[in-house]
Amino acid sequence: GAVVSQHPSRVICKSGTSVKIECRSLDFQATTMFWYRQFPKQSLMLMATSNEGSKATYEQGVEKDKFLINHASLTLSTLTVTSAHPEDSSFYICSARGGQGRFEAFFGQGTRLTVV
Amino acid sequence: AQSVTQPDIHITVSEGASLELRCNYSYGATPYLFWYVQSPGQGLQLLLKYFSGDTLVQGIKGFEAEFKRSQSSFNLRKPSVHWSDAAEYFCAVGPPNTGNQFYFGTGTSLTVIP
C-alpha cells in the first residue's frame, strides 16, 4: 500500500508558540489531504480538507486562523497550530487520497501534541 | 445524510475465538466501504476495502468483511483472534471522488483475553 509519513510523531510546546506538523505522501501524488483531530478513545474528527494549490476547506467550528493548512505540492501538506493553548493538546492525524485507481485513504502515523 | 454506525463500543473475546464487528451505514449512493485498525498512539492502517464485485472481501491479517446492501451493513470478521489483534477498529464509508472526505464510525475497541 501507499505510504503517508507524518512528522513529528510527538511534540511538546509552550503556550503561545506555534508548531508545524508535516504530512507527506511518499510514493504517490495526493490530490487531497485531510487533517483530523482525535480525542482519547474517540473517533476521528475532520478538521479540514486541502487540495494542492488551493485554500483548505475547514469544517464548521474549526478556526482557520488558528489551524493553518498549506498544501503546497502534491506530496506535502502542513498543519500549523498557531498560538498554541493547552486545549489544543490532542492527537492529530493526516490522510491522503489520490493516485490512479486509489480510492482508499492512507493515514499518517499521527502526531501527539502537548501544549504546556 | 451520510453516516456510519458501529453499535459496539467495546468487545472482549478470548484468544482463538471468532470475532465479528458490526458496521451499518447510511449513504446516498453506492458506497465505497473500508475497515481500518488503529493501535494505541498510532495512525490508521487499512484492513480491507469494498468497491464493487464480490461482496465478501478479504483483507490483511486474516480479516474479511461482507457487504450486504439489503442490510446496509459491512461487518468485519475473523475466524480466530490473536492477542495482537487488540486495537481500535473503525468502519468508514467514502465516495469514489477522491476529493471528498470519508465518514467514520465511532470505533470499536477490541480486547483479547489470553
Side-chain angles (χ1 to χ4, degrees):
Chain A
V3 179
V4 175
S5 177
Q6 188 173 340
H7 179 79
S9 57
R10 290 179 179 273
V11 58
I12 300 173
C13 69
K14 292 184 177 181
S15 291
T17 63
S18 296
V19 61
K20 180 184 286 187
I21 302 170
E22 290 188 351
C23 180
R24 293 180 183 271
S25 57
L26 298 185
D27 52 0
F28 69 102
Q29 292 184 328
T31 51
T32 307
M33 287 188 173
F34 306 89
W35 286 96
Y36 295 87
R37 183 173 179 176
Q38 186 179 32
F39 294 99
K41 299 191 181 299
Q42 294 190 26
S43 188
L44 285 74
M45 181 191 79
L46 181 67
M47 299 176 65
T49 302
S50 74
N51 293 289
E52 184 263 342
S54 61
K55 290 184 177 180
T57 301
Y58 289 82
E59 295 299 300
Q60 192 172 8
V62 178
E63 299 177 61
K64 60 181 66 178
D65 294 331
K66 179 167 187 62
F67 298 100
L68 301 179
I69 291 172
N70 183 278
H71 194 160
S73 75
L74 284 172
T75 59
L76 174 64
S77 177
T78 60
L79 167 67
T80 302
V81 182
T82 63
S83 300
H85 189 273
E87 293 176 349
D88 300 326
S89 298
S90 192
F91 193 60
Y92 294 88
I93 307 176
C94 71
S95 76
R97 300 182 81 183
Q100 190 170 4
R102 294 185 185 276
F103 298 109
E104 60 267 48
F106 298 95
F107 287 80
Q109 307 93 316
T111 297
R112 170 68 61 193
L113 170 63
T114 302
V115 184
V116 297
Chain B
Q2 297 88 341
S3 67
V4 178
T5 302
Q6 292 180 247
D8 305 304
I9 297 174
H10 186 233
I11 284 182
T12 300
V13 298
S14 298
E15 191 169 15
S18 63
L19 171 70
E20 183 170 30
L21 302 182
R22 296 183 290 168
C23 173
N24 294 94
Y25 66 89
S26 173
Y27 198 72
T30 301
Y32 284 15
L33 296 158
F34 310 85
W35 274 99
Y36 287 87
V37 60
Q38 184 183 34
S39 297
Q42 299 293 315
L44 277 68
Q45 180 183 22
L46 179 67
L47 281 177
L48 47 76
K49 60 195 177 190
Y50 171 78
F51 296 151
S52 64
D54 192 348
T55 55
L56 183 64
V57 293
Q58 303 296 320
I60 62 171
K61 304 184 179 184
F63 285 93
E64 65 178 27
E66 186 171 13
F67 170 57
K68 293 185 177 180
R69 185 186 299 274
S70 61
Q71 299 178 17
S72 296
S73 69
F74 189 57
N75 294 348
L76 182 71
R77 300 193 294 250
K78 186 170 185 178
S80 178
V81 171
H82 188 264
W83 64 266
S84 60
D85 293 325
E88 190 81 17
Y89 291 81
F90 292 96
C91 179
V93 59
N97 183 339
T98 57
N100 291 343
Q101 63 163 307
F102 278 22
Y103 295 90
F104 285 90
T106 49
T108 298
S109 177
L110 174 65
T111 298
V112 180
I113 298 175

